[in-house]
Amino acid sequence: MDTDEEGDNDWDRSLESDMLETEGSSTDRVTSISQRVILHIDLDCFYAQVEMIRNPALRNKPLGIQQKYLIVTCNYVAREHGVNKLMSVTDAVEKCPQLVLVKGEDLTHYREMSYKVTELLMSYCPLVERLGFDENFMDVTEMVERRLKETCISDLSFNGHVYKHESMAVDEENARLAVGSVIAAEMRQAIFSTLGLTGCAGIANNKLLAKLVAGTFKPNQQTTLLPYSTAELMSSLTGLIKVPGIGYKTREKLKALGLVSVRDLQLYSLADLVREFGEVTAKRIQNLACGIDDSPVTPAGPPQSLSDEDSFKKISTLEEVQKKTEELLTSLTERMHKDGRRPHTFRLTIRQYTVTNRWFSRESRQCPIPNHTGLKITCGSSEAVPQLLGLSMKLFHKMLDTREPFHLTLLNVCFSNLQAKSSSKSSIASFFTQKCPTTTQMTSQQQVSMYDFPYFNVPANVDPYVFSQLPADVQRELLTEWRQQKPVLKIPSKHSHKTSSTRDKKSAAKGSQCNNILKYFKPN
Ligand code: TTP
Ligand code: MG
């Protein structure tokens, strides 16, 4: 399996740091946290959906996506035949002999679609956090508040299911979640009509509960959790493994203390837990077991690397390598130029065909990018590509002896160590000097193909990228302030993105002369 998946560990880590940050927070903050409206959107049989979009003939057939000997996912037709995620290919074919298998080792299309979904969601609301390839959290509290001001509670109803309720009337107390459920339905509809993907949503007061409740009804459905049903949802979990944020090592330690179920952890003495884990972790995991999670939805920043790759049946001559690499470099340098940052490291990856290990034999070499080449990339000069091609071929010869026959099935070019043009990296002003950030956050190993950074619904003089880098609390505070001053927070139409970006960049440049960070964000 490819290694550039974001995994549950990210969720574990982010929860941990969030708890540290929020230690000692005020009562006000706790109150506001309990009133948040958080959505969790999880796409249905994600890789299988992408393959069905690529080849609609697969739509009504049982489809399994294969990585090595495993079915990493399968469509819902296959699930009706008893095929499940992570079943071995042998077992799956035994259950469903007509199962169609598609190889899913190359993540390019999944990744591309994944970022399109995040981008779409961010065009409605700035607070979107990715989890893995097919999950996104959204903090829609501000949207909900805005709508509530314009809506009469008696006109509201819940969209989709309410956890453990057949039907539910809307009152003062649950109105925010009801509006959240309407927004969730709109987001799912937007994803479907724009990208053709279905998914499930959970609506709750925090990330943990939104994620847990989202899977209650599948596929293509949504469920809202009312706060008083929290205990019931938590006790329905079959074990601590089902609690996101409690990782393998923690679970092992808990097991050694005799704690296996969610209930065990809820009831265990906090003092004893503190002795074992320290105060922060002890409180965090016990809170999680009780469904308490005040971690913020943290929007993604720009990616740490940009890359492009192509896979093919066979490349076996130096000329073909040069031609393909040149093609890849041309599109990559164009994207890098649009991004505005300067890459300092270049990496070339190849995959050689071998009979025994067809898909997993990638090899890479990397080198620093000379200053003159880096400058050519950032200013969009056509001379950048030949210079990079020279570097590429040097790296290529380090990996392969071309006097011997070779058989390549993939080439990947990658820029990493991306730095903003301004020399002072730590200064906030460096963000404003960036030309046009175009992508969203990934780990250093991740790549993105055609993902453009979305433009947030923030006032015209605010750089959306800078805004996205601020802590969630500050974002919320600013949004509230702007909303009170001027009704500027319109949802941008997709077609207006380019225009507003130019305007935003100009205004942001103007704003960069101020000293106080808040001045950057005050509408003129
Ligand atoms: P999931 O959201 O777990 O599964 P899914 O979207 O396929 O199905 P569901 O309708 O139940 O949500 O994972 C998202 C994608 O991640 C999935 O399509 C394939 C991939 N994946 C792996 O690569 N390895 C794994 O172990 C799992 C579980 C998923
Ligand atoms: Mg999914």
Side-chain angles (χ1 to χ4, degrees):
M1 234 172 279
D2 251 312
T3 51
D4 59 352
E5 278 272 302
E6 297 159 79
D8 270 4
N9 288 341
D10 293 342
W11 160 265
D12 296 346
R13 272 197 302 275
S14 80
L15 276 179
E16 196 153 334
S17 57
D18 293 338
M19 289 303 286
L20 284 168
E21 250 171 51
T22 52
E23 280 287 287
S25 48
S26 69
T27 329
D28 278 359
R29 187 169 143 69
V30 172
T31 315
S32 72
I33 274 171
S34 69
Q35 292 189 352
R36 288 183 305 162
V37 181
I38 308 293
L39 313 184
H40 175 262
I41 297 174
D42 181 345
L43 300 168
D44 299 325
C45 58
F46 181 50
Y47 290 5
Q49 278 208 82
V50 173
E51 295 301 344
M52 292 188 290
I53 289 169
R54 296 181 70 210
N55 178 4
L58 297 171
R59 214 161 254 293
N60 299 315
K61 297 181 179 157
L63 170 67
I65 306 300
Q66 177 181 1
Q67 285 182 354
K68 285 192 185 172
Y69 54 87
L70 277 183
I71 303 288
V72 287
T73 194
C74 52
N75 66 3
Y76 278 79
V77 183
R79 291 186 201 192
E80 277 164 26
H81 287 84
V83 181
N84 287 317
K85 289 189 276 190
L86 301 183
M87 212 176 220
S88 76
V89 173
T90 322
D91 289 351
V93 174
E94 202 172 293
K95 285 252 175 220
C96 175
Q98 68 275 41
L99 186 70
V100 179
L101 292 171
V102 169
K103 296 266 186 197
E105 279 96 356
D106 181 352
L107 304 182
T108 311
H109 298 288
Y110 313 139
R111 185 182 295 119
E112 221 170 276
M113 191 60 102
S114 165
Y115 280 93
K116 279 184 186 165
V117 173
T118 306
E119 175 182 12
L120 181 69
L121 296 176
M122 286 176 103
S123 73
Y124 289 93
C125 166
L127 297 177
V128 180
E129 178 180 336
R130 291 166 56 76
L131 182 67
F133 268 13
D134 79 330
E135 296 174 47
N136 286 279
F137 290 105
M138 292 178 89
D139 182 336
V140 293
T141 312
E142 290 296 327
M143 278 172 95
V144 166
E145 271 173 18
R146 261 198 317 275
R147 288 198 192 188
L148 266 184
K149 284 196 176 131
E150 295 156 6
T151 322
C152 192
I153 287 183
S154 58
D155 293 339
L156 285 170
S157 58
F158 280 94
N159 202 312
H161 306 272
V162 177
Y163 185 76
K164 295 288 173 188
H165 289 85
E166 289 286 301
S167 67
M168 171 57 57
V170 179
D171 56 26
E172 283 280 338
E173 224 168 272
N174 62 28
R176 303 162 134 268
L177 287 167
V179 177
S181 76
V182 173
I183 294 173
E186 288 169 11
M187 295 301 125
R188 288 173 48 236
Q189 180 56 41
I191 294 171
F192 184 68
S193 52
T194 314
L195 302 168
L197 294 163
T198 63
C200 291
I203 304 99
N205 288 138
N206 69 42
K207 283 161 68 177
L208 171 79
L209 296 173
K211 180 174 164 68
L212 287 174
V213 83
T216 314
F217 295 95
K218 288 168 82 169
N220 198 17
Q221 295 178 68
Q222 63 176 58
T223 314
T224 304
L225 180 79
L226 301 177
Y228 65 79
S229 301
T230 300
E232 206 174 346
L233 175 67
M234 294 312 295
S235 60
S236 75
L237 303 179
T238 50
L240 288 170
I241 193 166
K242 299 287 180 191
V243 183
I246 300 187
Y248 174 75
K249 281 192 183 154
T250 308
R251 268 201 319 276
E252 288 298 299
K253 275 172 120 180
L254 289 169
K255 204 156 114 192
L257 295 173
L259 312 183
V260 184
S261 71
V262 173
R263 186 113 186 103
D264 292 341
L265 180 53
Q266 285 172 350
L267 297 177
Y268 199 67
S269 135
L270 179 63
D272 290 347
L273 271 186
V274 168
R275 252 194 304 282
E276 192 65 30
F277 292 94
E279 197 169 332
V280 172
T281 306
K283 280 186 182 164
R284 175 177 67 90
I285 57 179
Q286 195 159 57
N287 274 341
L288 290 175
C290 298
I292 299 165
D293 166 28
D294 63 1
S295 64
V297 171
T298 310
Q304 292 162 18
S305 66
L306 279 192
S307 74
D308 213 341
E309 70 179 32
D310 204 358
S311 50
F312 25 77
K313 280 218 168 101
K314 185 176 189 178
I315 276 189
S316 54
T317 68
L318 208 49
E319 288 70 34
E320 288 172 305
V321 173
Q322 268 180 330
K323 185 164 171 286
K324 182 50 76 184
T325 310
E326 190 173 3
E327 269 171 40
L328 290 171
L329 286 170
T330 305
S331 74
L332 185 68
T333 47
E334 208 174 295
R335 277 170 50 214
M336 197 68 249
H337 168 59
K338 262 175 67 189
D339 178 282
R341 286 173 297 166
R342 184 162 144 196
H344 287 262
T345 305
F346 174 71
R347 184 171 69 229
L348 179 75
T349 303
I350 60 170
R351 185 176 66 198
Q352 293 203 66
Y353 178 84
T354 55
V355 183
T356 47
N357 202 4
R358 264 180 75 193
W359 299 98
F360 296 93
S361 44
R362 286 186 184 222
E363 200 179 339
S364 301
R365 290 288 184 281
Q366 66 179 40
C367 64
I369 298 175
N371 273 341
H372 61 277
T373 309
L375 287 169
K376 295 254 159 36
I377 298 167
T378 39
C379 60
S381 159
S382 60
E383 289 165 38
V385 171
Q387 291 177 10
L388 286 163
L389 188 59
L391 285 183
S392 304
M393 296 322 288
K394 273 190 196 153
L395 296 176
F396 183 74
H397 286 292
K398 283 188 185 169
M399 289 184 273
L400 261 181
D401 181 354
T402 48
R403 289 167 304 184
E404 299 286 329
F406 62 87
H407 177 165
L408 297 186
T409 58
L410 177 139
L411 277 165
N412 174 303
V413 289
C414 175
F415 290 137
S416 59
N417 194 2
L418 312 180
Q419 287 171 17
K421 269 195 213 158
S422 162
S423 54
S424 142
K425 269 203 292 174
S426 56
S427 152
I428 183 80
S430 68
F431 286 114
F432 290 94
T433 57
Q434 258 179 246
K435 260 190 72 190
C436 173
T438 56
T439 39
T440 200
Q441 185 168 28
M442 288 166 288
T443 63
S444 60
Q445 294 214 6
Q446 287 177 311
Q447 318 131 17
V448 65
S449 286
M450 295 300 295
Y451 177 75
D452 281 330
F453 197 80
Y455 296 97
F456 300 126
N457 44 345
V458 294
N461 66 324
V462 173
D463 186 319
Y465 171 67
V466 180
F467 183 79
S468 78
Q469 299 297 295
L470 295 171
D473 279 0
V474 179
Q475 289 186 344
R476 258 199 299 280
E477 202 177 300
L478 286 165
L479 282 168
T480 311
E481 195 176 315
W482 292 329
R483 193 164 42 81
Q484 281 159 0
Q485 280 174 4
K486 228 165 98 189
V488 285
L489 298 172
K490 291 198 193 107
I491 295 172
S493 88
K494 276 173 70 213
H495 308 288
S496 67
H497 288 171
K498 288 241 151 51
T499 336
S500 64
S501 107
T502 321
R503 202 180 55 218
D504 289 350
K505 273 185 273 163
K506 279 188 192 146
S507 325
K510 231 199 290 171
S512 68
Q513 276 134 37
C514 306
N515 295 325
N516 177 342
I517 179 170
L518 283 176
K519 287 186 193 162
Y520 288 112
F521 298 103
K522 302 272 187 196
N524 294 327

